[in-house]
Amino acid sequence: MTDNAITGFDPNEKPAGAHQAEAASFGGVGMKIAGYAGMVAIFLLVALPLFWIVVTSFKEKPDIYTQPAQWWPANPTTEGYKSATTEIDFWAFFRNSVIITVLLSIAKIVLGVISAYALSLLRFPGRNLVFLVVIAALMVPNQITVISNYALVSQLGWRNTYQGIIIPLAGVAFGTFLMRNQFLSVPGEIIEAARLDGAGPLKLLWRVVLPMSWPTLIAFSIITVVNEWNEYLWPFLMSDDSRVGTLPIGLTQLQNNDGITNWGPVMAATVLAMLPVLIVFLALQRHMIKGLTAGAVKG
Amino acid sequence: MASVYFDGATRVHKGNSRPSVAGVTLDIEDGEFLVLVGPSGCGKSTTLRMLAGLEPVDGGRVLIDGHDQKGVRPRDRDVAMVFQSYALYPNMTAEENMAFALRNAGVSKAEAHERVLEAAKILELEPLLGRKPGQLSGGQRQRVAMGRAIVRNPKVFCMDEPLSNLDAKLRVSTRAQIAALQRRLGVTTVYVTHDQVEAMTMGHRVAVLKEGVLQQVDTPEALYDRPVNTFVAGFIGSPAINLLDATVRDGRAELLGTSVPVERDLVGDADRVTLGIRPESWTIGSELDKDGIPLRVELVESLGAEVFVYGRHDGDPDGPRITVRLAKSQRPDTGDLIRITPVAGELHVFDAETGDRR
């Protein structure tokens, strides 16, 4: 079987441009159906659990366990939300999550950008070695370092404090890696032009390199914010109660409250925990547009 | 404004045994427009980048205004560069692009604005100052890149093939504009190009480089009339000069079965030379003229006013191809036989071994 038979692409057909050639290669009816089937399958895989969370959060307790499953709440109620925000100190957990996520994200983004800048555009001896060490750090799962980190932070007396949660998590390897590769993709002539124009290292970063790297920086920021918001293991180990615990810790408390899990409030709290990152994501992803470097070099 | 002096400047790129620029010595006067020309990979851009400080100098020196530039940072050299890709900052408007260097140098906002306006006026960029590079055409971007260089009023302009991304028509008009602008501003300019027409039309002097070695520096006319070797002869002039091997006997060169008089003191005791004959240095004789070289026409290129005829010696189909420029009234057809004779006094005689001018 040749490639043409698979893709349904007819080599005798004259494509008017690259896009049409691409379109033609997916032209068969069978391929189209298979494509849509795949999309539907993936959509259901992602959307069904989300839908179930939202629906359950509005159900009354007896309706949650009925068989066959109710796909729409028979008696919609906001009781779940009420108990989610009263049974635990929801707003304290929420406040902690916001504080920790904001501080951690700022630390990670700043560290990622400046370390990537140093490793890509500044020249100093041992640069590649430092980069290799950073990459090596990326390979170590943080579950492995948890025990030694725990011992260290406990000795410092930082258990159940913000700094105890934030500082051990502030190390960054992924951001360094991502931003370094982005900075290396900035045309060398622009960097040289800026150097000739008398831009110092910080000005070069702030006025020339970063503005050309917004899409990558935004992507990195979204990933960081979502990750820190959802971070579970370390805050769970570090915090004892709602003084510094984050929302995922609060969710755990809600789940274990009575020995038997009342899923309505848990799902309601999950929805509430999801909303802020969803908003952040929607706000930021608009800026992840292409074409920010248009017109820099050549035409 | 300043003079520039390359004193045996050498650059060896890492991992190369052969230097990219080998001992270039070049004296550029204050206010001069010097063109560096050569085929790709000849080291012309590297030479320019050494002057701008973007490339280290591994041997020799580069002096601006008599001062050795070793260890001087690019920003402190007071050199402005126009890049082949223009290298505009995409996030800034045309005005911000042009003012960037001024603001970095501590010029006040108001003065920077004034100087940008002045440069914009010269380059007819005024209506475009608020636009970002992405909203400009290729020619407009090129002018912004020029403007970015001239607002700084630097000691030296470095231009690295600034026209190669423009279409042919725009290139011709911009070529004249840049040359006029340089005359008006009087700033010492080093201009890199691989285009010999740009080299011939723009510069006061032209420096020809080959494999990192400087071949000849001279005015465009002298370069054309007295090339120092076969490389320069072949590089300058379009279509290229005819380089033909000839044996010498009794002060006459045997060229393709015809004997051509050459100056005895030029040839010396050599028995073989390479003769360089420009396409326009031929006269066409009648078909019966037994002294002329019989040329079987293979290709005729008509450019309107003139006609370029390409052909080989009749009876020697594997021989060298000869280019002849004729007036349009003399236009032959493909397959015709014409008789051509080189114009005495316009012959270039080169050494058959070294290729150097004799």
Side-chain angles (χ1 to χ4, degrees):
Chain A
M1 220 193 206
T2 66
D3 284 348
N4 292 338
I6 295 168
T7 57
F9 175 67
D10 181 8
N12 299 324
E13 209 177 288
K14 216 169 135 194
H19 287 294
Q20 270 186 6
E22 202 182 359
S25 68
F26 294 102
V29 177
M31 280 304 292
K32 220 173 218 169
I33 292 171
Y36 277 108
M39 277 195 277
V40 167
I42 291 187
F43 174 75
L44 290 179
L45 200 66
V46 174
L48 259 188
L50 277 174
F51 175 72
W52 193 247
I53 290 172
V54 175
V55 165
T56 306
S57 74
F58 287 107
K59 279 180 184 172
E60 285 182 339
K61 196 172 178 182
D63 291 343
I64 294 171
Y65 294 101
T66 51
Q67 295 264 357
Q70 273 188 10
W71 287 99
W72 198 254
N75 310 298
T77 169
T78 54
E79 208 49 50
Y81 288 87
K82 221 168 272 167
S83 40
T85 47
T86 49
E87 270 177 41
I88 55 164
D89 198 352
F90 181 87
W91 295 111
F93 286 117
F94 186 86
R95 176 202 66 207
N96 297 337
S97 263
V98 169
I99 291 173
I100 288 172
T101 302
V102 166
L103 291 180
L104 253 183
S105 299
I106 290 173
K108 280 201 162 181
I109 291 165
V110 169
L111 282 177
V113 165
I114 57 182
S115 61
Y117 179 64
L119 289 172
S120 57
L121 298 178
L122 303 181
R123 270 170 250 156
F124 57 90
R127 191 175 80 168
N128 288 336
L129 185 73
V130 173
F131 180 64
L132 278 180
V133 171
V134 170
I135 293 300
L138 191 61
M139 306 292 165
V140 182
N142 60 351
Q143 285 83 350
I144 289 179
T145 56
V146 149
I147 295 171
S148 52
N149 277 356
Y150 187 92
L152 180 69
V153 172
S154 299
Q155 275 174 21
L156 289 170
W158 284 359
R159 282 209 71 250
N160 214 23
T161 61
Y162 285 130
Q163 71 266 33
I165 294 177
I166 291 171
I167 291 174
L169 286 179
V172 59
F174 172 69
T176 306
F177 176 70
L178 189 74
M179 292 314 291
R180 173 185 176 266
N181 286 357
Q182 162 62 32
F183 290 163
L184 286 178
S185 75
V186 173
E189 292 197 334
I190 299 224
I191 313 278
E192 287 175 348
R195 289 207 166 119
L196 279 168
D197 275 348
L202 280 180
K203 197 159 228 170
L204 179 65
L205 171 66
W206 191 244
R207 293 278 283 137
V208 178
V209 176
L210 261 194
M212 292 177 73
S213 307
W214 278 130
T216 311
L217 186 67
I218 301 251
F220 170 43
S221 306
I222 290 179
I223 293 168
T224 307
V225 168
V226 172
N227 263 346
E228 302 320 320
W229 184 264
N230 293 335
E231 181 72 43
Y232 182 72
L233 179 62
W234 184 252
F236 176 68
L237 291 173
M238 271 298 114
S239 62
D240 296 331
D241 48 40
S242 61
R243 270 181 294 161
V244 296
T246 56
L247 267 181
I249 319 296
L251 283 181
T252 320
Q253 287 191 2
L254 200 59
Q255 197 179 354
N256 300 333
N257 246 2
D258 313 321
I260 170 172
T261 304
N262 186 1
W263 287 109
V266 172
M267 292 303 152
T270 307
V271 170
L272 290 178
M274 222 155 48
L275 281 178
V277 270
L278 201 64
I279 291 166
V280 169
F281 179 81
L282 289 178
L284 286 182
Q285 62 99 31
R286 286 186 303 124
H287 298 283
M288 287 175 62
I289 41 164
K290 281 183 176 176
L292 276 173
T293 55
V297 291
K298 261 188 99 175
Chain B
M1 267 159 273
S3 62
V4 172
Y5 186 53
F6 288 90
D7 181 13
T10 301
R11 171 76 177 122
V12 187
H13 279 114
K14 233 183 199 169
N16 285 8
S17 52
R18 206 175 55 78
S20 307
V21 176
V24 166
T25 298
L26 194 53
D27 194 357
I28 305 165
E29 281 168 41
D30 184 12
E32 184 175 0
F33 193 126
L34 182 106
V35 179
L36 285 172
V37 72
S40 49
C42 72
K44 54 192 189 298
S45 282
T46 308
T47 308
L48 188 75
R49 291 167 56 82
M50 280 156 71
L51 171 60
L54 298 172
E55 199 93 40
V57 181
D58 294 322
R61 296 182 301 164
V62 175
L63 291 85
I64 298 178
D65 244 356
H67 297 292
D68 190 353
Q69 296 297 305
K70 191 177 174 64
V72 180
R73 290 182 299 178
R75 54 190 287 191
D76 297 328
R77 293 190 181 198
D78 203 4
V79 166
M81 185 132 165
V82 180
F83 291 88
Q84 182 177 6
S85 64
Y86 316 141
L88 299 178
Y89 313 119
N91 50 306
M92 302 184 202
T93 63
E95 169 158 10
E96 288 165 338
N97 262 285
M98 288 160 73
F100 189 57
L102 295 178
R103 299 288 291 139
N104 287 340
V107 174
S108 75
K109 215 168 195 171
E111 197 196 330
H113 179 69
E114 208 165 287
R115 279 167 72 175
V116 167
L117 278 187
E118 211 174 298
K121 208 170 187 177
I122 299 172
L123 294 162
E124 294 166 30
L125 277 172
E126 287 149 307
L128 307 172
L129 282 179
R131 294 207 200 161
K132 291 191 172 173
Q135 301 162 307
L136 298 171
S137 72
Q140 291 165 341
R141 283 179 207 167
Q142 203 280 331
R143 277 186 283 151
V144 174
M146 286 294 300
R148 191 168 64 176
I150 66 174
V151 286
R152 288 177 50 186
N153 196 15
K155 283 184 185 163
V156 185
F157 283 145
C158 291
M159 303 195 190
D160 192 358
E161 309 206 24
L163 303 183
S164 59
N165 284 330
L166 300 181
D167 63 60
K169 202 176 160 201
L170 201 54
R171 202 178 307 164
V172 173
S173 59
T174 313
R175 194 166 76 199
Q177 280 168 4
I178 291 181
L181 188 65
Q182 196 274 341
R183 271 196 300 277
R184 175 172 165 184
L185 300 172
V187 175
T188 313
T189 303
V190 183
Y191 185 104
V192 163
T193 180
H194 64 267
D195 182 322
Q196 50 128 336
V197 180
E198 277 175 32
M200 296 296 278
T201 52
M202 296 178 82
H204 297 125
R205 284 191 306 159
V206 179
V208 183
L209 282 162
K210 178 198 177 193
E211 291 171 3
V213 180
L214 189 61
Q215 306 289 313
Q216 187 174 4
V217 196
D218 226 324
T219 61
E221 294 76 24
L223 220 53
Y224 191 80
D225 293 337
R226 287 190 60 82
V228 295
N229 57 30
T230 49
F231 176 80
V232 176
F235 193 78
I236 303 293
S238 172
I241 194 169
N242 300 290
L243 291 169
L244 305 166
D245 288 325
T247 50
V248 183
R249 203 173 301 151
D250 302 331
R252 295 185 74 81
E254 293 291 329
L255 180 70
L256 301 171
T258 314
S259 129
V260 180
V262 286
E263 281 179 52
R264 207 177 267 274
D265 50 340
L266 277 185
V267 178
D269 55 356
D271 51 2
R272 280 178 54 239
V273 293
T274 301
L275 290 181
I277 306 164
R278 299 257 176 222
E280 68 272 22
S281 300
W282 299 95
T283 50
I284 182 166
S286 79
E287 211 174 307
L288 302 170
D289 177 8
K290 288 285 175 258
D291 285 341
I293 299 167
L295 192 75
R296 186 61 71 183
V297 177
E298 290 180 347
L299 176 69
V300 180
E301 278 180 353
S302 183
L303 294 171
E306 54 193 6
V307 178
F308 290 109
V309 176
Y310 303 88
R312 287 177 219 270
H313 186 273
D314 190 38
D316 185 10
D318 299 323
R321 202 175 201 198
I322 294 171
T323 313
V324 182
R325 194 192 78 171
L326 299 173
K328 71 174 171 187
S329 58
Q330 294 171 306
R331 183 188 175 174
D333 282 322
T334 308
D336 282 1
L337 187 77
I338 56 172
R339 296 251 174 202
I340 53 171
T341 321
V343 177
E346 291 184 19
L347 277 182
H348 303 276
V349 183
F350 301 104
D351 192 286
E353 258 85 57
T354 63
D356 289 339
R357 186 179 194 91
R358 298 191 68 105

